[in-house]
């Protein structure tokens, strides 16, 4: 896949001394870029989904950690590390489900420890360099995921996807969408059913925008239409992303993923997950313990500032759900497609 295609929109970029993000809350209506110069603004951007998607918030947290430590006094390593831990914890609290966020801050912390004999000014430079490396690696990883997943896509396939897993959600290309972009580029003539993804509409606002930019045929559907389409034989496979994958293969992803997986199994349709290895949390034995973010009721009760429920009505708004591993036919990673039993597959990949 060429590097300058339209789908390769940059959701986040380092600009000399600050971060520039494409603010996803304005899409598809307006392309608004925001400059982020301090860790508080980065926390807010992650929390409010201005930057979103598991790999992208990992990258954002890495740059955010640098912004949070770059002006710290350059005294002892010990006092510097206390502050690094504090800033990392603050960023990790912005969104609890995607493990990529903690994965990125942990990676930076261990890099710092490995250089503890250097001057603090030098360590700060290494932190920025590590954040840039995490960003660059994610681009290469997502390209590999796309290339590895193409074999799962038959010619003329009708693919159903949920939420947004494209360039917007990653360093570039995406995860599930990267597979679709690569299949399209190889002339497989794919068609995509895009779940609108209530309540924040990442499907209809963001995935539809990315697919249209790439000129990939698609139609938006309400989330509740998926089952009928599957039953009528109009879906050949489901391909989604992940926010955290437990050691047994259970997957946390956008709310509404689990019912899709159950419907897919009921209708004998393959259900695939595409994600980088950084999304696999081997310390989480099963999905039951994965923290699931619950967001404000207003996201359900209002739309674009207009009240769409009776005044004083209450809502429950979980942002993610868990899909048990038994519903998943394969997990596409940068190292290849991992098939069940996942526990064994993950161990092989991580032990290599
Ligand atoms: O709440 P969001 O929009 O950050 O949720 C994103 C998802 O659920 C994606 O499917 C997941 O992060 C994978 S992105 C490549």
């Amino acid at each position: 896949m060429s590097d300058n295609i339209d789908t390769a929109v940059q959701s986040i970029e380092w600009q000399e001394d600050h971060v520039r993000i494409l603010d996803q809350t304005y899409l598809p209506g307006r392309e608004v870029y925001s400059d982020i110069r301090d860790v508080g603004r980065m926390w807010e951007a992650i929390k409010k989904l201005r930057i979103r998607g598991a790999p992208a918030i990992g990258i954002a947290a890495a740059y955010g950690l640098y912004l949070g430590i770059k002006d710290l006094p350059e005294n002892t390593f010990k006092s510097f590390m206390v502050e690094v831990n504090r800033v990392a914890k603050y960023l990790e609290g912005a969104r609890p489900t995607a493990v990529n966020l903690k994965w990125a801050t942990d990676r930076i912390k261990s890099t710092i420890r490995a250089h503890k004999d250097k001057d603090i000014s030098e360590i700060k430079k290494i932190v920025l360099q590590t954040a840039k490396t995490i960003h660059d690696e994610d681009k290469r990883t997502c390209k590999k995921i796309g290339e590895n997943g193409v074999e799962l896509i038959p010619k003329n396939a009708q693919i159903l996807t949920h939420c947004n897993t494209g360039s917007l959600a990653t360093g570039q290309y995406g995860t599930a969408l990267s597979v679709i972009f690569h299949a399209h580029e190889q002339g497989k003539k794919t068609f995509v059913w895009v779940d609108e993804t209530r309540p924040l509409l990442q499907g209809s606002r963001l995935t539809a925008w990315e697919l249209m930019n790439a000129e990939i045929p698609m139609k938006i559907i309400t989330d509740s239409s998926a089952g009928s389409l599957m039953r009528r034989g109009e879906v050949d496979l489901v391909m989604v992303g992940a926010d955290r994958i437990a050691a047994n293969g259970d997957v946390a992803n956008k709310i509404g993923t689990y019912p899709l997986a159950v419907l897919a199994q009921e209708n004998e349709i393959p259900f695939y997950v595409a994600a980088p290895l950084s999304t696999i949390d081997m310390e989480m034995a099963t999905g039951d313990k994965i923290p699931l973010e619950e967001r404000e009721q207003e996201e359900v009760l209002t739309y674009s500032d207009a009240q769409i429920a009776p005044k004083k009505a209450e809502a429950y708004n979980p942002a993610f759900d868990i899909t048990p591993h038994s519903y998943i036919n394969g997990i596409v990673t940068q190292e290849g497609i991992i098939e069940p039993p996942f526990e064994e597959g993950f161990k092989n990949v991580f032990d290599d």
Side-chain angles (χ1 to χ4, degrees):
M1 189 179 222
S2 51
D3 283 339
N4 56 359
I5 52 158
D6 283 347
T7 50
V9 58
Q10 299 285 327
S11 58
I12 182 161
E13 271 180 302
W14 179 256
Q15 307 250 316
E16 235 168 280
D17 62 350
H18 67 277
V19 181
R20 176 162 291 175
I21 61 157
L22 172 54
D23 187 335
Q24 299 183 31
T25 62
Y26 291 97
L27 287 172
R30 287 198 293 145
E31 277 178 51
V32 176
Y33 289 85
S34 296
D35 289 333
I36 298 187
R37 295 173 192 280
D38 62 73
V39 64
R41 283 281 324 277
M42 187 60 94
W43 184 91
E44 191 268 356
I46 296 171
K47 178 83 187 165
K48 294 271 166 70
L49 275 59
R50 300 185 194 286
I51 180 94
R52 46 145 298 285
I57 60 178
I59 297 163
Y63 286 131
L65 187 49
Y66 173 70
L67 292 175
I69 57 109
K70 74 180 171 53
D71 297 323
L72 287 178
E74 294 171 1
N75 312 331
T76 63
F77 180 79
K78 204 170 162 203
S79 60
F80 177 71
M81 206 57 206
V82 168
E83 282 305 297
V84 169
N85 284 329
R86 188 188 60 75
V87 176
K89 216 168 180 49
Y90 169 64
L91 282 162
E92 287 158 19
R95 296 197 74 191
T97 302
V99 73
N100 307 60
L101 210 155
K102 188 165 173 352
W103 172 87
T105 52
D106 279 352
R107 179 163 161 184
I108 290 184
K109 284 197 289 187
S110 58
T111 307
I112 294 176
R113 275 186 231 105
H115 292 277
K116 69 178 203 242
D117 295 331
K118 296 210 163 75
D119 289 348
I120 304 288
S121 61
E122 198 52 39
I123 294 178
K124 288 178 179 175
K125 285 186 199 145
I126 292 170
V127 170
L128 177 59
Q129 195 44 54
T130 310
K132 288 180 181 172
T133 304
I134 288 173
H135 193 174
D136 286 344
E137 279 177 8
D138 191 63
K139 295 179 189 179
R140 287 197 295 276
T141 294
C142 288
K143 194 165 191 293
K144 259 335 252 154
I145 289 172
E147 289 165 358
N148 291 342
V150 169
E151 68 175 83
L152 299 172
I153 314 284
K155 269 202 170 136
N156 301 309
Q158 301 197 68
I159 306 166
L160 193 144
T161 193
H162 192 64
C163 198
N164 172 266
T165 61
S167 286
L168 289 170
T170 59
Q172 209 173 2
Y173 304 114
T175 55
L177 274 200
S178 181
V179 176
I180 294 171
F181 291 145
H182 281 80
H184 174 73
E185 205 185 54
Q186 290 185 16
K188 290 206 164 180
K189 297 201 188 313
T190 50
F191 173 88
V192 187
W193 294 112
V194 177
D195 261 3
E196 65 175 351
T197 317
R198 278 281 291 153
L200 295 179
L201 307 178
Q202 287 93 331
S204 55
R205 292 189 306 109
L206 308 176
T207 299
W209 185 75
E210 288 200 56
L211 290 173
M212 288 178 84
N213 287 344
E215 299 182 1
I216 298 178
M218 63 98 205
K219 266 189 189 155
I220 297 163
I221 53 170
T222 56
D223 300 336
S224 42
S225 302
S228 317
L229 283 171
M230 290 186 195
R231 188 149 184 264
R232 292 209 306 259
E234 296 191 51
V235 177
D236 296 304
L237 65 117
V238 180
M239 176 79 68
V240 298
D243 284 83
R244 193 185 299 224
I245 302 175
N248 69 345
D250 292 352
V251 165
N253 192 47
K254 180 53 57 196
I255 190 77
T257 302
Y258 168 52
L260 282 180
V262 176
L263 284 165
Q265 192 166 89
E266 169 70 16
N267 290 281
E268 296 177 11
I269 294 167
F271 183 94
Y272 300 113
V273 173
L277 295 177
S278 55
T279 301
I280 300 170
D281 183 354
M282 292 300 279
E283 282 169 24
M284 202 57 76
T286 71
D288 297 342
K289 294 269 165 14
I290 296 178
L292 297 177
E293 178 183 7
E294 196 180 320
R295 296 186 61 85
E296 292 73 34
Q297 305 187 44
E298 283 61 39
E299 291 178 354
V300 175
L301 300 172
T302 61
Y303 179 70
S304 203
D305 291 338
Q307 182 80 15
I308 53 167
K311 275 208 172 98
K312 293 193 184 159
E314 290 184 7
Y316 167 54
N317 185 18
F320 299 97
D321 62 21
I322 303 291
T323 299
H325 60 92
S326 56
Y327 291 98
I328 300 167
N329 296 85
I331 299 178
V332 186
T333 73
Q334 67 268 38
E335 296 294 335
I337 302 166
I338 303 175
E339 287 171 358
F342 295 115
E343 194 128 29
E344 214 175 287
F346 295 163
K347 277 197 185 123
N348 290 340
V349 170
F350 287 117
D351 287 350
D352 271 355

